[in-house]
Amino acid sequence: MKIQEADAKSLLVAQGLPVPPWEEAHTAAEAREAAKRFFADGAEQVVIKAQVLVGGRGKAGGVKLAGFAAQTELVAQSILDLEIKGIPVRKVLVGPAADIVKEFYLSAVLDRAARRILLMGSAEGGVEIEQVAAERPDAIVTIHADPLIGLQAFQAREMAFRLGLGAHLKDAVAIATGLVRTMLAYDADLVEINPLAIVNVSSDDGPVTQRLQCLDAKITLDDSALHRHPELEQLRDPDEEDPADREAREAGLTFIKLDGTIGCMVNGAGLAMTTMDLVKRAGGEPANFLDIGGGARADKVAAAMRLILADPKVNAILVNIFGGITRGDEVARGLIEARAQQERDVPMVVRIVGTNAAEAAVLLEQAQFVTAATLDEAAAQAVAASKSAVA
Ligand code: GDP
Ligand code: MN
């Protein structure tokens, strides 16, 4: 689950990382009011940033500065009018603009192959890190942190020195260890600060000093660990979740959309993969991976059918159920119910074996469904139906 910059920053703040203050605004007028408060606090400029779950907002015109409240309103409106990579901007973040001296990149990611957390840093921050990685891989410093003890101080110091942050050692060490701590505290897959910046900070009485601050934050949480952090569920942005993903999650289905034309409804991940393999071997392309899980009842089957049919490319459906805990007759009832409700008629081949397969067969026959006894046969029929739909 990806979370918005403002929410990611809240998590960083909770872990003690230095982040400039901010407010969220849903309208240009709200942005103006927020800006007034920051100007009253002494800000010379404010930064206004689109809150959308995509990178490269800066390049797309989603990050801008303003020098006074009325200008903030205009700029905020122009950003709220944007669509960035197809996503409409519904809110912005407003905060005092940082006076940036130099931008760095720092992130912690899960390195599954190494079974460790990988801390990555670069003195070439601000720009897209993928570009740096492709063009100058030596400009990226990598250090692995132990998953049990986290990043150790000497490792954080090494990162700091290699990035040329020796003059900011204390800040850099706190931030690097804080990133890994954030990763562990929330079971994140990714915690990325780009830019981590040296900024000029002026206080009322003293001279201008330079500090390190996290100016951007991107956090991806591990969906499989979310149950350990129920309070983070509220950070899910319903506006930005793919509608199909949401329906699948709410119905308790595992659904992954693919590019083919044959919708597959299967119970069990292994059987789903086998089914996809056999569809391919029969010359077809699966439109999805869909595991309706164990003990799927009629309503779940109907939800799965809606998801499959919502994909306009689907022109044939293959249902492959192995009844164990799942009862075949229950699935058959679900299919009959789903067909009665569905808006689009697509040829469907059903194979149900295992628990209550005989009862299922009777129900399906009465309802005039096309059935198949073996999986090879079912796959061949579904592929043939898909091909004749195109012809
Ligand atoms: P992204 O493009 O989606 O990654 O958005 P960022 O928050 O990283 O902003 C993009 C760029 O805008 C940064 O690399 C900075 O150069 C600039 N920027 C962001 N925040 C500030 C700020 O407070 N002050 C100034 N002067 N520039 C900023
Ligand atoms: Mn950024």
Side-chain angles (χ1 to χ4, degrees):
M1 175 171 105
K2 289 184 185 175
I3 60 175
Q4 296 284 3
E5 174 188 0
D7 297 323
K9 283 181 166 175
S10 299
L11 298 186
L12 293 183
V13 169
Q15 294 298 323
L17 289 157
V19 180
W22 74 89
E23 286 187 36
E24 278 185 87
H26 290 84
T27 64
E30 274 176 38
R32 179 195 175 111
E33 292 310 308
K36 274 190 191 162
R37 289 186 278 273
F38 292 118
F39 286 124
D41 274 351
E44 281 173 26
Q45 284 188 305
V46 293
V47 61
I48 303 121
K49 307 178 72 175
Q51 294 298 284
V52 284
L53 292 176
V54 293
R57 293 165 301 166
K59 265 192 207 154
V63 178
K64 293 221 166 82
L65 304 180
F68 49 94
Q71 188 184 21
T72 307
E73 183 165 359
L74 289 176
V75 170
Q77 189 58 57
S78 73
I79 293 178
L80 286 164
D81 288 340
L82 287 178
E83 240 183 45
I84 300 181
K85 297 182 183 164
I87 303 176
V89 179
R90 293 188 175 86
K91 55 189 176 214
V92 294
L93 174 156
V94 182
D99 179 5
I100 299 174
V101 178
K102 181 164 168 53
E103 301 189 19
F104 296 82
Y105 173 94
L106 194 65
S107 73
V109 292
L110 197 63
D111 182 348
R112 290 175 197 276
R115 294 189 284 172
R116 287 211 170 1
I117 293 171
L118 180 65
L119 187 70
M120 282 200 283
S122 173
E124 302 189 14
V127 289
E128 276 174 48
I129 197 68
E130 290 82 359
Q131 196 183 327
V132 180
E135 290 166 10
R136 305 199 33 233
D138 52 306
I140 297 180
V141 180
T142 58
I143 291 176
H144 279 107
D146 187 280
L148 295 178
I149 53 180
L151 188 75
Q152 296 196 263
F154 78 90
Q155 295 181 299
R157 284 195 295 272
E158 182 188 340
M159 176 58 80
F161 282 119
R162 287 174 68 186
L163 294 184
L165 280 169
H168 295 274
L169 197 58
K170 208 167 156 238
D171 279 358
V173 167
I175 292 169
T177 48
L179 272 200
V180 173
R181 196 169 59 242
T182 304
M183 184 89 174
L184 294 167
Y186 305 108
D187 287 311
D189 283 335
L190 166 77
V191 181
E192 183 185 76
I193 316 289
N194 188 25
L196 168 69
I198 299 177
V199 303
N200 286 320
V201 182
S202 50
S203 54
D204 294 340
D205 37 1
V208 173
T209 54
Q210 294 193 341
R211 299 301 304 264
L212 269 182
Q213 286 187 337
C214 307
L215 296 191
D216 188 13
K218 185 163 147 188
I219 293 183
T220 309
L221 300 169
D222 181 348
D223 292 316
S224 306
L226 265 179
H227 66 97
R228 291 173 15 129
H229 312 279
E231 74 286 358
L232 298 179
E233 190 58 44
Q234 75 193 50
L235 303 183
R236 190 185 294 281
D237 192 330
D239 287 339
E240 292 209 21
E241 193 178 18
D242 183 272
D245 287 347
R246 176 164 60 221
E247 177 154 19
R249 183 171 51 77
E250 285 172 358
L253 304 162
T254 307
F255 176 79
I256 294 152
K257 203 183 154 321
L258 302 169
D259 292 331
T261 57
I262 300 173
C264 301
M265 187 192 302
V266 190
N267 66 329
L271 189 59
M273 286 193 274
T274 308
T275 306
M276 290 160 60
D277 281 349
L278 289 181
V279 163
K280 282 213 166 213
R281 193 174 68 172
E285 288 293 334
N288 62 274
F289 170 99
L290 199 170
D291 174 8
I292 61 173
R297 302 189 71 87
D299 52 345
K300 224 172 167 185
V301 173
M305 193 58 75
R306 275 198 301 281
L307 274 174
I308 291 176
L309 286 170
D311 177 357
K313 278 168 89 177
V314 168
N315 58 17
I317 296 173
L318 170 53
V319 179
N320 185 25
I321 301 296
F322 184 84
I325 299 168
T326 307
R327 285 169 40 195
D329 58 328
E330 187 78 50
V331 173
R333 274 192 205 93
L335 290 171
I336 293 165
E337 193 184 309
R339 197 175 60 177
Q341 295 167 1
Q342 78 196 35
E343 288 159 19
R344 197 154 72 86
D345 199 22
V346 168
M348 178 167 22
V349 184
V350 184
R351 171 183 179 251
I352 297 178
V353 293
T355 309
N356 291 4
E359 290 87 336
V362 172
L363 289 169
L364 292 174
E365 196 184 332
Q366 281 168 356
Q368 296 180 317
F369 273 77
V370 177
T371 57
T374 70
L375 183 45
D376 281 316
E377 197 184 301
Q381 285 186 40
V383 171
S386 172
K387 288 196 169 146
S388 64
V390 177

